[in-house]
């Protein structure tokens, strides 16, 4: 079941199975992770704004294909109907309580580059919420809403919506994100 909330995001709680999420994580070699930067156009490492380990995965891997299907469903069902022409690689994120893993307020969209820009973002919760505390995905102005409350939950939202992941205070939170791009907004 999916829900459109305030025309801001499209949410599927528990869409992916526990087995799928766990097998996806089992295939990740976190020893090869990088420190998550802010601003992919001009990457900056700023631990005050973001503390996340990341791994990039080709968008044609199963998780990327699933993400694109949900992006397309949300784009049509929500009535956004953005022209989407490509998808970026999938970013797997690890937010550890030992680092107070978090990502402060930000938008995923950037000024157009070569006539294209990010239009829709997707976030998938790969870990079981009972295994960590904090680490809540929040949208600006809707901080009281609980989003991604079950393992395998998926949320799609316009990339210009400001959002954050609160600090993880216990355990480890794993997620996957990617972005659909298209011709610049007019």
């Amino acid at each position: 079941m999916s829900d459109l909330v305030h025309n801001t995001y499209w949410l599927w709680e528990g869409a992916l199975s526990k087995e799928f999420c766990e097998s996806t994580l089992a295939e990740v070699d976190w020893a090869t992770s990088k420190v998550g930067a802010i601003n992919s156009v001009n990457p900056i490492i700023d631990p005050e704004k973001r503390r996340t380990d990341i791994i990039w995965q080709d968008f044609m891997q199963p998780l990327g294909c699933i993400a694109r299907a949900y992006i397309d469903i949300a784009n049509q069902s929500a009535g956004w109907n953005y022209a989407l022409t490509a998808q970026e690689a999938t970013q797997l994120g690890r937010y550890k309580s030992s680092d107070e893993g978090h990502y402060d307020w930000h938008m995923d969209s950037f000024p157009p580059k070569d006539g294209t820009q990010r239009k829709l973002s997707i976030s998938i919760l790969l870990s079981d919420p009972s295994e960590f505390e904090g680490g809540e995905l929040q949208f600006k102005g809707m901080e009281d809403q609980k989003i991604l409350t079950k393992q395998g939950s998926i949320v799609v939202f316009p990339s210009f919506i400001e959002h954050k992941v609160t600090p993880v205070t216990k355990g480890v939170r794993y997620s996957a994100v990617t972005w659909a791009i298209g011709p610049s907004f007019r």
Side-chain angles (χ1 to χ4, degrees):
M1 172 147 179
S2 58
D3 292 306
L4 177 65
V5 180
H6 304 295
N7 206 30
T8 302
Y9 60 87
W10 198 262
L11 175 67
W12 291 266
E13 288 288 2
L16 304 179
S17 72
K18 176 182 183 74
E19 295 77 21
F20 178 83
C21 294
E22 290 177 357
S23 69
T24 297
L25 289 172
E27 294 174 11
V28 177
D29 178 7
W30 287 103
T32 63
S33 69
K34 307 258 187 262
V35 174
I38 55 174
N39 189 343
S40 64
V41 176
N42 297 305
I44 300 167
I45 303 297
D46 182 350
E48 294 303 310
K49 294 222 175 253
R50 183 180 191 188
R51 283 190 204 137
T52 317
D53 300 324
I54 62 167
I55 297 272
W56 291 99
Q57 198 178 67
D58 185 272
F59 73 92
M60 289 305 292
Q61 295 287 330
L63 196 56
C65 294
I66 289 168
R68 183 55 192 248
Y70 278 92
I71 287 169
D72 289 342
I73 291 166
N75 190 33
Q76 182 178 6
S77 299
W80 297 317
N81 297 316
Y82 297 148
L84 304 175
T85 56
Q87 177 179 326
E88 294 185 42
T90 303
Q91 184 186 102
L92 296 145
R94 177 175 65 177
Y95 297 78
K96 301 180 292 189
S97 61
S98 60
D99 297 338
E100 294 183 342
H102 69 280
Y103 197 166
D104 208 359
W105 292 113
H106 67 284
M107 291 183 284
D108 294 336
S109 62
F110 302 106
K113 180 180 178 188
D114 299 325
T116 64
Q117 67 187 124
R118 288 179 176 173
K119 292 193 165 183
L120 289 175
S121 301
I122 187 169
S123 183
I124 303 169
L125 182 62
L126 296 173
S127 31
D128 183 332
S130 69
E131 297 173 359
F132 66 92
E133 292 178 9
E136 295 177 2
L137 175 65
Q138 297 180 339
F139 293 108
K140 192 75 153 197
M142 294 183 278
E143 293 87 347
D144 60 331
Q145 294 189 17
K146 300 293 182 192
I147 305 167
L148 303 180
T149 62
K150 296 178 183 171
Q151 185 174 29
S153 294
I154 297 172
V155 65
V156 177
F157 56 96
S159 298
F160 55 79
I161 300 292
E162 201 168 1
H163 58 287
K164 73 176 181 177
V165 175
T166 64
V168 173
T169 57
K170 182 179 177 185
V172 181
R173 175 192 191 267
Y174 294 96
S175 62
V177 297
T178 190
W179 309 271
I181 60 176
S184 304
F185 286 115
R186 298 180 195 261

